[in-house]
Amino acid sequence: MRKVLNAIYVMVFALLMVGCGAEQAVKKGDKFWAVGEYFDAAEQYKKAYTQTPNKERTTRGQRAKKLAECYRHLNQTNKAISAYNNVVRYKQADSLTHFYLGQLYMRNGNYKEAAKQYTVAIDSLRAYGDSLHLQLAKVGLESAQKAPQWKKEGSAYTIKKMDLFNSRRDDYSPMLAGDSNDQLFFTSTRNQAQGDELNGITGTKNADIFFSQKDEKGKWGKPQVIASELNSVYDEGACCFSPDGKTMYLTQCVTDPNYPRYAKIMVSNRSDASWSKPKELVIAHDTLSSFAHPAVSPDGEWLYFVSDMPGGMGGLDIWRCRILNNGNDIGYAENAGEKINTPGDEMFPTFRPNGDLYFSSNGHPGLGGLDIYFIPAKSQHPTPTIQHPGFPLNSQADDFGMTFEGKLNQGFFCSNRGDLRGFDHIYSFYNPEIIQTVKGWVYEQDGYELTAAQVYMVGNDGTNLKLSVRSDGSFTQEITPGVDYVILGTCKGYLNHQEQIRVEPSKKSEEHVLQFPLANISAPVLIENIFYDFNKATLRPESQKALDELVQLLNENPNVTIELSAHTDSRGSDAYNEQLSQRRAESVVAYLIAHGIAADRLTPKGYGETAPKRIKKRVAEKYEFLKEGDVLTEEFIAALPEELQEQCHQMNRRTEFKVLRTTYGMFDKAGKLIQSPATTPQAKD
């Protein structure tokens, strides 16, 4: 009898201890849940659920609901479905249980079951008066009913999982950078990320930004750690760049064990090849809202971002604010509007270089999870038209984080499709659009790229654009076949240069390259390919192309007067060389006058051998025996090996021009302004 009683006492004590352990686990889980650490909370709720006896149906159902919420936030779809079904089984379902089950079955691709759950949810939410979730449930039901057909129809997109970039953890938010799109930055929680602690939200390491470099053969290299203060032991990721590539905007989440994590947007600047330690970009003095997922518009004027700040449509919304003071300040934040934002979540805005705005949402009709949507640039204001790219770019899982390779509809995005753990991975995408583009290079004539240049493009279809150049002096712009374009390259301190282009319809994408050499108004400019008969001033026919280009340049800059100079080498007498060069300069001036240039804009000058050529950096790069600053005097040439001397004599035999005035024709004899200076076109930003 005593043994029996002892056994009963042991069993009762064990049950009490189990119950105590379950309660403790729930308390720990609630603490983790309060600060958004869903992974740690799920471990505690699972422990509590398994220790709760089956006969305690109400308690078991309540703990299943806590567990289900964690799995839903962790994107562990199958586990979340199982847990929510336990909530229903134990009769603890509320007005949102079937709504969340509908979302989860959508993510699983089980559209038939999702429709059933949404139908039940609509009745429950309508009775409860929850208008926001009711609206989302109606959109969900529409999606469940139409998704099978959308998936069947497909699209022209092809996608491929990029194993080179991916790890066994999260890899997401790819962003192409570099003048040739030869760098890929992305976010990852892989083992190489900084810090040793695991994130209580995800159960992985805190995210860092990594990058991959494309080599000269177009092959991507293995992802690398960024060797600077850009990353920390906290979460960094979801970055974007200013148009000139010198400023990075990124998201950072700082860990605090006692408070929820609020994301904030940070700014890092590039010095040479290194990124500075990020500083916070204060968007609003709101310590209870998150600010994340920055995106800069192609013109560099606007910063788009995601926030749950007051004044939104519900959930996470896309907002924007104007960028001021070269990126060091921002203007007032404004909501992107109800056409884009919904009671659900709108996230990960990004821009295609042509101005199309891409973002992801679970509040618009789609295939499940976050779907990618876009708004063509021409329809963004005042009433945006939202388009869905279809399957396979979108799937039943989360799809987001687009980045584009130049003007083509190709690049990278990320998705957690097919990953039972809910981890995101990077994919490539390609849509065979036929796109015609013009790529231009703006540089100093006989010099280097002009990074401060502005380019104006006007078309007879109403196109009126102002374009900035990249750090290599280049720009790229999509053009429409059959349209006549005039493109003007400008830069302070330089003469303008104009090109015209018209392309015909084509069956393939093509890039049309134009050169914009700008003449410096404060230094002599070499006129290449001017040829004379031997020992004469007669211009040879081969010179016509270069001279016609000079005529065009003077017509494009009508307020300029120039000195047209000719130079000889040092062989021959000083007097003969001076006379020959003067006659040659006069021959060029005569050609220009004959082709419509006013004589009083032109001053011929023969320098003979008195002004030997001074070598510029770009010329020095072509000749190993010369360096920048060398002057090709008779003594300098005589000291060179005989086989190199003729090359120097050829460089001394040249025709140049330099700007004398930039106000020709602007004033009358009394000094009054009669004509405004020729200006660049007034373009729409």
Side-chain angles (χ1 to χ4, degrees), residues 317-337:
D317 276 17
I318 293 175
W319 300 70
R320 72 172 190 169
C321 52
R322 190 173 288 278
I323 298 174
L324 307 172
N325 301 327
N326 295 320
N328 295 317
D329 199 4
I330 53 173
Y332 178 76
E334 59 184 57
N335 193 277

Side-chain angles (χ1 to χ4, degrees), residues 13 18 30 51 64 70 109 137 270 297 302 370 383 385 412 429 464 478 512 515 530 553 557 567 632 668 678:
F13 180 76
V18 168
D30 289 345
Q51 291 181 357
C70 291
R270 189 182 67 187
S297 59
W302 293 93
L370 288 171
T383 304
T385 301
F412 303 98
F429 71 89
N464 193 0
E478 185 176 344
H512 308 270
Q515 304 288 338
I530 299 294
L553 177 67
N557 298 270
H567 304 261
L632 304 186
D668 61 16

Side-chain angles (χ1 to χ4, degrees), residues 214-233:
K214 185 188 287 186
D215 64 20
E216 296 176 351
K217 297 180 180 179
K219 183 180 179 181
W220 288 103
K222 292 183 178 180
Q224 304 175 44
V225 175
I226 297 177
S228 74
E229 293 184 288
L230 180 69
N231 292 309
S232 71
V233 295

Side-chain angles (χ1 to χ4, degrees), residues 23-263:
E23 291 295 335
Q24 287 298 319
V26 169
K27 288 180 181 179
K28 288 183 180 179
D30 289 345
K31 184 178 179 180
F32 288 131
W33 172 269
V35 293
E37 296 184 345
Y38 306 118
F39 182 85
D40 289 344
E43 287 189 330
Q44 296 301 320
Y45 291 147
K46 182 179 179 182
K47 179 180 178 181
Y49 178 79
T50 57
Q51 291 181 357
T52 303
N54 289 335
K55 64 180 181 180
E56 296 182 17
R57 298 179 63 83
T58 299
T59 303
R60 202 165 165 83
Q62 291 169 349
R63 290 172 180 173
K65 183 183 293 185
K66 290 176 179 287
L67 185 57
E69 291 289 284
C70 291
Y71 287 146
R72 180 171 64 86
H73 281 284
L74 291 168
N75 288 328
Q76 295 183 12
T77 304
N78 290 334
K79 289 183 177 181
I81 288 174
S82 178
Y84 275 120
N85 279 327
N86 283 333
V87 175
V88 175
R89 180 159 64 99
Y90 290 119
K91 301 187 185 304
Q92 294 301 305
D94 58 19
S95 59
L96 292 178
T97 301
H98 294 284
F99 170 75
Y100 290 139
L101 273 170
Q103 288 186 326
L104 291 163
Y105 279 118
M106 287 290 294
R107 293 173 61 89
N108 230 10
N110 190 342
Y111 299 125
K112 186 176 181 180
E113 186 60 36
K116 291 180 181 179
Q117 296 295 334
Y118 278 129
T119 301
V120 175
I122 288 171
D123 291 338
S124 176
L125 292 165
R126 185 180 287 121
Y128 189 73
D130 186 343
S131 59
L132 289 181
H133 285 100
L134 177 60
Q135 183 178 336
L136 289 173
K138 289 180 178 178
V139 171
L141 179 58
E142 178 188 352
S143 299
Q145 293 169 339
K146 295 180 177 179
Q149 182 61 30
W150 292 337
K151 200 167 183 179
K152 182 179 179 181
E153 290 172 355
S155 69
Y157 283 92
T158 57
I159 66 167
K160 179 183 178 182
K161 192 174 182 181
M162 299 298 294
D163 292 333
L164 175 65
F165 303 141
N166 294 315
S167 66
R168 294 174 58 83
R169 297 292 184 263
D170 277 314
D171 304 284
Y172 59 97
S173 291
M175 183 58 59
L176 285 161
D179 296 324
S180 302
N181 294 304
D182 56 356
Q183 295 178 342
L184 183 72
F185 290 76
F186 63 93
T187 309
S188 180
T189 61
R190 63 187 60 203
N191 292 333
Q192 289 78 15
Q194 293 188 32
D196 298 321
E197 295 184 2
L198 297 183
N199 188 313
I201 297 176
T202 62
T204 63
K205 297 187 74 172
N206 286 329
D208 275 354
I209 299 173
F210 292 78
F211 84 101
S212 177
Q213 179 74 46
K214 185 188 287 186
D215 64 20
E216 296 176 351
K217 297 180 180 179
K219 183 180 179 181
W220 288 103
K222 292 183 178 180
Q224 304 175 44
V225 175
I226 297 177
S228 74
E229 293 184 288
L230 180 69
N231 292 309
S232 71
V233 295
Y234 302 123
D235 265 316
E236 284 88 21
C239 68
C240 70
F241 300 91
S242 58
D244 62 8
K246 296 179 180 179
T247 303
M248 177 194 292
Y249 299 89
L250 63 147
T251 307
Q252 185 183 79
C253 293
V254 178
T255 303
D256 189 323
N258 299 313
Y259 294 96
R261 297 187 184 194
Y262 293 103

